[in-house]
Amino acid sequence: MLAVIFLVLAVVALLLFPVAKLLHISRGLLFLLLLISLGAFASQSFVVIDAGEVGVQIFFGKVIPKPLYSGINFKLPLVEVVKYPTRLRDYTMSAVEGEGTKTGDDSISVRTFDGLEVFLDATIWWKINPEKIHDIYRDTAKNTGELEEKVVRPVFRTEIRNAVSTITLNDLYSTERESLGDKIKIRLEQTLDSKGLVIENVLIRNIKLPEDVEDSIRQKMRIEQDAEAMEARKEIARKEAEIKEIEAEGLAKAQEIIRRTLSAQYLQHEAIQAYRELAKSPNATFVIMPTTNDGTGMPLILNAPPVQSTP
């Protein structure tokens, strides 16, 4: 638009220059106006594209299929340039106030394969493919805000619903939760690639179930935890029983070995050694040896009061 204005001023200055005296207009002023207009018009031949941006060239409503990248770019003075950010962007839908892109509860209502309604908070990381920016401007949206409203938001919500509709509630709450984001990302890539968008990641931030369903799941989890604890206690008891059995077997074997190796003569020898030690005692002790045929038996030990010495 500015280029058109400066061009018109330059043309007017040129047309008025021959008749300036008749119109009592200073030729010097017209010449100065001409120079300024031409200089400003020429300056419209250059445009600076910032890092993380891409420019679309529009010539009187027609899109020129040549994107302008970061740096100083030459263009026709009458060409308008619309800039799009190519940096990574996020779009969040959440039930928590202040977390989502939109204010208020913006969580996604979905139904699982078994027909139960759940609410999801999710985030998509996306960016524009610079090579397809002219297609985006021509066919989809003239700015990123319009692009989010027309494409990113509705397609994101639709693909989440489609993905969840193939999963049961039990799987969604347990095994499939971690892989759900990857499944949605694959579906979005297939849908949005033709729209000129690149999907970096999809995050499932929160899953809210109906209250009665959450109560049932919590009760089921408690039962499973109690069962696991019972099995653990049973395993500990089995291990302890095995340890006691091993100890008993070892004791029995030890006793059997002792029983086989001990003889009457050996026991008699050990007894005599003990009696000798008793005889060395300072106390007056009488030891009566057993007189069985094999020399075994229990000895009779009498402790007599010590003998009083005569003064």
Side-chain angles (χ1 to χ4, degrees), residues 256-273:
E256 176 63 22
I257 293 171
I258 293 173
R259 187 186 64 79
R260 290 198 309 264
T261 57
L262 291 181
S263 64
Q265 290 77 12
Y266 180 76
L267 293 174
Q268 180 66 21
H269 176 268
E270 292 295 316
I272 291 172
Q273 296 300 321

Side-chain angles (χ1 to χ4, degrees), residues 48-122:
V48 177
I49 305 297
D50 194 9
E53 291 184 337
V54 64
V56 181
Q57 300 182 80
I58 313 298
F59 185 69
F60 291 106
K62 184 178 180 180
V63 177
I64 300 175
K66 183 182 179 182
L68 301 179
Y69 300 102
S70 60
I72 300 176
N73 293 266
F74 175 79
K75 66 179 185 64
L76 295 175
L78 297 179
V79 170
E80 179 186 1
V81 176
V82 178
K83 299 178 181 179
Y84 284 79
T86 57
R87 302 178 184 90
L88 187 65
R89 301 172 64 86
D90 69 276
Y91 193 92
T92 298
M93 289 171 281
S94 174
V96 180
E97 182 72 27
E99 282 191 359
T101 303
K102 288 183 173 293
T103 58
D105 185 353
D106 194 34
S107 59
I108 309 164
S109 172
V110 298
R111 287 195 176 276
T112 61
F113 182 76
D114 39 3
L116 294 174
E117 183 181 28
V118 298
F119 297 89
L120 301 181
D121 293 352

Side-chain angles (χ1 to χ4, degrees), residues 281-286 302-310:
S281 174
N283 298 322
T285 304
F286 293 91
L302 300 177
N303 291 325
V307 179
Q308 300 291 331
S309 61
T310 303

